[in-house]
Amino acid sequence: MTNNLELLVENNPFLTKKIERKVASKDARILFLYPNERGMSTIPPSIAGLSQILKNEGHTTGLFDTTFYKFDDEITVEDSDKIKANSLENRPVLDRDDDDLHFKKTTNSAVEDFRKSLVDFKPDLIAVSCTETTFLRAIRMIDATRDLGIKNIFGGVFPTFAPDLTMTYPNVDMVCVGEGENAMVDLANSIGNQEKQFDITNIWFRMEDNTIHKNSISRPVNIDEIPEITDIELFGEERFYRPMGGKIRRLLPVETHRGCPYTCSFCNSPGQNRLYGDGDFLKGMSFFRKKRMDLVKNEIENHMKKYNVEYIYFWADTFLAWSDQEFDQFIKMYSNIKLPFWCQTRIETVDEEKFRRMKDVGLDRVTFGLEHGNEKFRAEVVKREYTNEDAIKKIKIVEKLGITFSINNIIGFPDETRELAFDTIELNRQFNSDNTSCSVLVPFHGTELHEYAVKKGYLDPNIICSVSNSGASILNMPQWHKDDIMRLRDVFAMYIKFPKKRWPEIERAETDLELRENLRQEFIKTFWSNSQAKIEDDIAEAAKGLF
């Protein structure tokens, strides 16, 4: 009689391939392209992890990171930190150009430098890691160097959820749908063995006749089996620095969770759960996974010892998506580290005792996704079900403990009105966050709201959500014009912090740019100036090793 393990192997090509995986006869050379142009984002753990896995298999990796390049064309994504600074979402670092302070961007041609990297590195494969916001930049880079004849593979959130759309671009050779840890090793080994292997799970191949060979998706990887010490240094030391709460931090990310158990309609994580069958494919192996605490500890200690990291960002959609036992393990582990750290979590997960314990071991800042202030709209459209009363109660706990926190909000949802957006403003006025972000909704492929916006006729299904044009809405809704949405975004924080008697003045500032700038300077002086002198001293010290 066939046992369960034999059935699992028989019905799972991923497991069969893992058992029979060939060792490459020679190393493959993989150059990662990271088409980042959104300012001060942290090092992505995905590329650092994939690079380490490939190196462990005997392959050679390199990186071309566009973070340091200035772009000025019709697809340019405006620096997210500049948007946040202009709309008073983040404390200003210094009254000067952030780019020059954090890292010096170059006006060199990114395409020409990329071409030089390809000629010098001589890769067998270009591995592009992109989101929907950076996909078009990657396409420009690939199109401009196509004459070199180097094959490429596109991976990341956007290719995963829009593989057919991705493959409509003729110079895309392969797409990785889902996670790439195992697929990339199989592909690199195939290249090293000079094989033309087209049955690698998670990868779609463009064939010579331009047809697309689509392979099935394998189960999620076991994140406890991938290297906890990743190839962070691939990015270079300058990428270790990031502004945080008005200071420059020498910061590195540490992944504790992959995926999220919640179902927000604007987020890709629920789409990952649907893509992987939410655990139906193999019991206990849903897309949402938590890393073993000893592995988290090893990674942090490596960052401290090897890179002199002074601040940790825990890479998790919902940091407190742990059982009580797992939380106790974290506190015990981190009590011997006590580096300041930043995390993000759901409002519903706030517990006074847990936050007190996190503060004791190093919690410096926490971010909550509030997203919307109207209970009915939040439940039906945003798919977040909690009361405003409970949200206020939970956040007041964090205030009482003296923990610095920020609040994320979104406006411009499908069918939202200006009046509904002011419910979000009113709710934010009930507590005193250090800073309050206001993003204009981007209906990314793979999200429930993308499908809804297309169905309502607000969005062309083939539009790439590149978030250009200063973060303006890409939805065409009859009840709220996209320009008005952006104007409210730019003064959102003013409506929250200034007294209501100033609201008529703030409303005028939505269209009066001179008045808006005057109010912006008043806001900074009134709400953020007390610690500005200390901030500048801290920045000067932190920036010494930057250049």
Side-chain angles (χ1 to χ4, degrees), residues 243-254:
M244 178 69 62
K247 301 178 182 180
I248 291 182
R249 304 285 194 175
R250 188 176 172 90
L251 172 154
L252 283 177
V254 173

Side-chain angles (χ1 to χ4, degrees), residues 42-45 232 251-255 299 303 311-315:
T42 60
I43 291 173
I232 290 290
L251 172 154
L252 283 177
V254 173
E255 184 181 42
E299 184 174 0
H303 287 347
Y311 200 98
I312 297 295
Y313 166 52
F314 284 112
W315 191 284

Side-chain angles (χ1 to χ4, degrees), residues 252-298:
L252 283 177
V254 173
E255 184 181 42
T256 56
H257 304 65
R258 188 173 295 188
C260 182
Y262 295 96
T263 58
C264 300
S265 59
F266 58 86
C267 180
N268 284 115
S269 284
Q272 297 279 18
N273 294 335
R274 292 190 295 271
L275 183 70
Y276 282 92
D278 201 19
D280 293 338
F281 187 84
L282 183 65
K283 186 177 180 181
M285 286 300 294
S286 67
F287 187 79
F288 173 59
R289 288 145 291 165
K290 294 171 275 188
K291 187 179 290 187
R292 242 180 34 225
M293 210 60 67
D294 61 310
L295 302 180
V296 175
K297 178 177 180 287
N298 290 345

Side-chain angles (χ1 to χ4, degrees), residues 104-245:
K104 294 179 180 178
K105 289 196 173 183
T106 177
T107 56
N108 291 353
S109 167
V111 168
E112 289 306 313
D113 284 356
F114 182 49
R115 176 179 290 274
K116 292 175 185 175
S117 293
L118 294 175
V119 171
D120 292 341
F121 188 75
K122 297 180 176 59
D124 299 299
L125 179 72
I126 302 168
V128 183
S129 178
C130 62
T131 62
E132 193 159 347
T133 62
T134 61
F135 172 71
L136 293 178
R137 176 62 58 202
I139 289 294
R140 289 275 176 104
M141 305 284 285
I142 292 296
D143 287 351
T145 55
R146 189 61 170 176
D147 59 295
L148 296 176
I150 304 168
K151 294 291 185 180
N152 62 70
I153 181 169
F154 277 64
V157 177
F158 176 63
T160 289
F161 289 110
D164 288 296
L165 179 56
T166 302
M167 293 297 274
T168 63
Y169 288 80
N171 288 333
V172 175
D173 296 313
M174 291 165 268
V175 163
C176 182
V177 180
E179 296 179 308
E181 282 88 349
N182 292 295
M184 283 299 293
V185 171
D186 286 342
L187 181 59
N189 288 348
S190 174
I191 293 171
N193 290 324
Q194 297 183 323
E195 300 171 337
K196 289 188 176 180
Q197 188 176 344
F198 301 112
D199 63 344
I200 299 173
T201 56
N202 290 43
I203 298 183
W204 291 15
F205 292 86
R206 187 184 302 279
M207 309 304 285
E208 290 184 4
D209 62 359
N210 209 39
T211 59
I212 309 301
H213 180 80
K214 303 177 181 181
N215 290 298
S216 61
I217 299 173
S218 64
R219 68 170 186 160
V221 300
N222 185 340
I223 62 173
D224 287 339
E225 294 179 359
I226 61 179
E228 73 267 28
I229 309 302
T230 60
D231 193 13
I232 290 290
E233 60 193 44
L234 185 72
F235 283 84
E237 188 175 1
E238 288 178 335
R239 291 286 271 113
F240 295 178
Y241 292 89
R242 193 189 190 284
M244 178 69 62

